[in-house]
Each structure stands twice: as C-alpha cells, then as structure tokens.
Amino acid sequence: MADDSRRQLEVSVVVESYTHGEGSGLDRVTRALRAAAAMVDEHGAGEVLVADSSADPRLLELLEREFSHVRRVDAAGFGYDEAKLLAAEQARGRYVLYLDGDCIPSEGWLAHHLAALRSGRAATGGFTRYDGGFLGAIGSVLDFGFLLPVKQRVLDCYAFNNSGFRRDVMLDAPPPRGAMRCRCYAHAQRLQRHGLPVWMVPEARVRHERQPFFRERYRQGFDMVAARWVDPELPGVRLLKIGPLAAPIFYGHVIRDWQRLVESRRDLELAWWQLPPAAALAALSRLVDLAGMVRALAPGGRESGIGI
C-alpha cells in the first residue's frame, strides 16, 4: 500500500461496519478485512477503507492491532448508504469497490470487478449468495434474486455488498435519499437513465452471512413497497394508491422466485430433487414479506422507520 497520502491510486476497497452494528460478528468483519487487504496488497496500487458506523470500540482495537494499514472513515451516526458514500468521498482510488463486513469474497473478486471497470463500465455488480446449502439457496433467491441469471448483462438492481463504481460516477450520481436502508434499486435505475448502467460481473462472487429470518423477511417486504417511495418512476407506483389491498399483488413476486430457482439452480447449488421443496418454502417465507408489505402500505408506513 502507498505511504504517500497524496498518491493517486487505482482502487479503493470499502468494507463497511454497519452490518456489524446490526449484529454480525466481529470475526466475520475480520475475515472480510483480511480478504480485502490480501487482494489490495497483491494489486499493489490500492487501499482498504473501513466505513465505520458501528461505534464498536472492539472494531477500533481490531484495526489498530491487525489492520494498521487500513484507513478508518468515521461514519458514526450515518446510515448504510450514507456511510458508503462518505467513504467514496474520502477514497483516493479511481475506482471504488464495496464489500460488506459480513461478506467473504471469492478468489479474484477484486480483479474481476476491476477488469470490467477498466473496460469502460461505469458500475459493476457481482453475485451474492448466502452461506449454507439448501436454506442459503432459498434465502439467496428471496433477497438476491434480481442477480439471477448470473451472466453478463445490465442489472436493474445491484447488491451494494458486492459492487464497484468509477469514483466520479458515485460522487456525481449517488444513491437517492429515502426511507430505506439501502436504495440500490433506485440507484441502479437512476444510473441506467443517465446512460451509466450497472453491469453484472458473473465471476465476482461473495458469500453473505445468513440473516435473522423474521427480521430480514419483514424488512424485505417493507422495502418492496418503500422502493416506490424512493423512485416514483419504478413499476407499480400506482398500486400504492389502493393501500394494503395492493399487498397480494406485490406478493405475486413469488412466481419469479420459482422461475429463478429452476433457471439458476446450478448457481444456487441446488439439485433437481430440491426444487419442489425449495419452491414451497420460498412461497411460505414470502408470507412474512407480505406482513411487511401491509405495514408499508398501511397509514403511517412511510414514517414508521421500519426500512431504515
């Protein structure tokens, strides 16, 4: 890593601690940082930053003890998207790659993102899959189904936990504000309308720590509605006018879950015989999403703060 703080670097890898503040273990953050630091050291012209919004003194001790070469960005009090944007503002790389503290990248992750960005892509997104076998695959379809199929294409939505940007693009066209923890869907749509689409990089993969089931499902359902508040140009905005009666229509997303299970079973690491039970469990899991949708569509949903 460069000792000269004025030196222009090619890449800045940002590891956030917001997910650690939500309950992810410090050991997971340690693994993510080790992976990021090793890749940047091998690259030779980059830096690792920690967007630290967790306010955990143990993380500060970890950085001082094991990652003294990692630059900490004080993001106390910042939201998930806001902490990442702050890190981009302080980054010195031409490209900024984002890796969440609860995600472990595959071999070559940095190189694959960089290759796409160097080729002229303004923004990139990789494939994120949850830990675990059968249950991890189902959770991946529910939360990251928009990344399927895993092939080179323009993404309608990217996963912020596994993404890359030209730094000037991120600063000039940042994620929009709104009542959501992560506005990557609206951001991807905004970039696409500006002629700067997010491209899938199939080889850039990460393993995401599994989330608490009911908390994640309820929030995901809420966010399916909240995304329309953030970006009024998204499909389905007119449904918001009918309130909770629109929830079953949003629940219809489960049909796409079934299609993705079948079409992308290899990337999900599922055998054929696992597809029927996976489809059934996905539909049942979406019932918790349905509760989140109803809460978002009910009076006061926008001010409830659930999606933050």
Side-chain angles (χ1 to χ4, degrees):
M1 302 212 184
D3 292 326
D4 185 356
S5 62
R6 294 169 297 178
R7 178 185 172 192
Q8 177 67 46
L9 302 175
E10 183 180 33
V11 62
S12 299
V13 177
V14 177
V15 179
E16 55 75 59
S17 72
Y18 190 94
T19 52
H20 172 57
E22 290 182 312
S24 179
L26 194 61
D27 58 332
R28 190 75 174 196
V29 182
T30 303
R31 291 178 60 195
L33 281 170
R34 285 173 180 165
M39 290 181 181
V40 168
D41 283 344
E42 182 179 358
H43 177 274
E47 63 178 350
V48 178
L49 289 77
V50 173
D52 185 14
S53 54
S54 69
D56 184 356
R58 296 177 303 158
L59 177 58
L60 185 58
E61 292 172 5
L62 171 68
L63 295 177
E64 293 174 346
R65 182 177 67 252
E66 187 173 341
F67 301 101
S68 58
H69 55 295
V70 168
R71 190 150 57 95
R72 177 178 175 270
V73 176
D74 185 359
F78 282 70
Y80 179 81
D81 283 2
E82 289 76 13
K84 295 191 174 200
L85 181 58
L86 178 64
E89 292 170 354
Q90 297 188 21
R92 292 186 288 124
R94 180 184 180 191
Y95 305 114
V96 180
L97 305 187
Y98 290 102
L99 177 72
D100 276 12
D102 56 358
C103 293
I104 309 301
S106 61
E107 185 176 353
W109 175 83
L110 182 148
H112 291 307
H113 272 294
L114 275 184
L117 290 165
R118 288 169 181 157
S119 73
R121 306 301 192 199
T124 55
F127 177 57
T128 298
R129 187 194 186 281
Y130 280 124
D131 291 341
F134 180 69
L135 294 179
I138 295 171
S140 301
V141 170
L142 298 176
D143 290 353
F144 303 116
F146 52 85
L147 299 174
L148 300 170
V150 185
K151 64 179 183 180
Q152 192 174 98
R153 59 188 175 90
V154 171
L155 291 171
D156 291 330
C157 179
Y158 66 89
F160 219 161
N161 55 52
N162 178 11
S163 58
F165 299 86
R166 271 192 1 230
R167 179 171 174 266
D168 64 307
V169 169
M170 173 58 77
L171 297 182
D172 292 343
R177 293 184 174 276
M180 293 181 69
R181 172 182 178 272
C182 179
R183 281 90 67 187
C184 51
Y185 185 13
H187 190 212
Q189 295 297 304
R190 169 182 284 185
L191 291 173
Q192 196 166 339
R193 289 192 289 267
H194 282 76
L196 301 167
V198 183
W199 280 86
M200 161 69 81
V201 180
E203 302 83 4
R205 303 188 177 214
V206 304
R207 288 282 180 155
H208 194 302
E209 188 174 34
R210 295 256 305 278
Q211 302 297 294
F213 176 79
F214 286 101
R215 184 194 75 183
E216 188 66 17
R217 297 268 44 86
Y218 190 77
R219 184 170 65 189
Q220 288 288 344
F222 189 95
D223 282 355
M224 195 174 294
V225 175
R228 275 76 188 173
W229 302 332
V230 175
D231 186 355
E233 295 187 45
L234 294 181
V237 168
R238 286 181 292 181
L239 293 173
L240 304 182
K241 296 179 180 179
I242 62 176
L245 294 176
I249 301 174
F250 283 107
Y251 176 78
H253 192 81
V254 73
I255 296 174
R256 278 188 284 174
D257 294 338
W258 294 340
Q259 293 171 337
R260 289 163 173 167
L261 281 166
V262 173
E263 295 170 355
S264 303
R265 72 172 184 87
R266 294 187 185 278
D267 286 304
L268 294 166
E269 302 167 26
L270 286 174
W272 277 111
W273 64 267
Q274 292 178 304
L275 292 179
L281 193 53
L284 288 172
S285 299
R286 286 283 186 204
L287 292 175
V288 185
D289 292 40
L290 183 62
M293 296 171 201
V294 171
R295 180 64 190 93
L297 290 163
R302 191 186 295 233
E303 293 76 33
S304 66
I306 291 172
I308 303 298

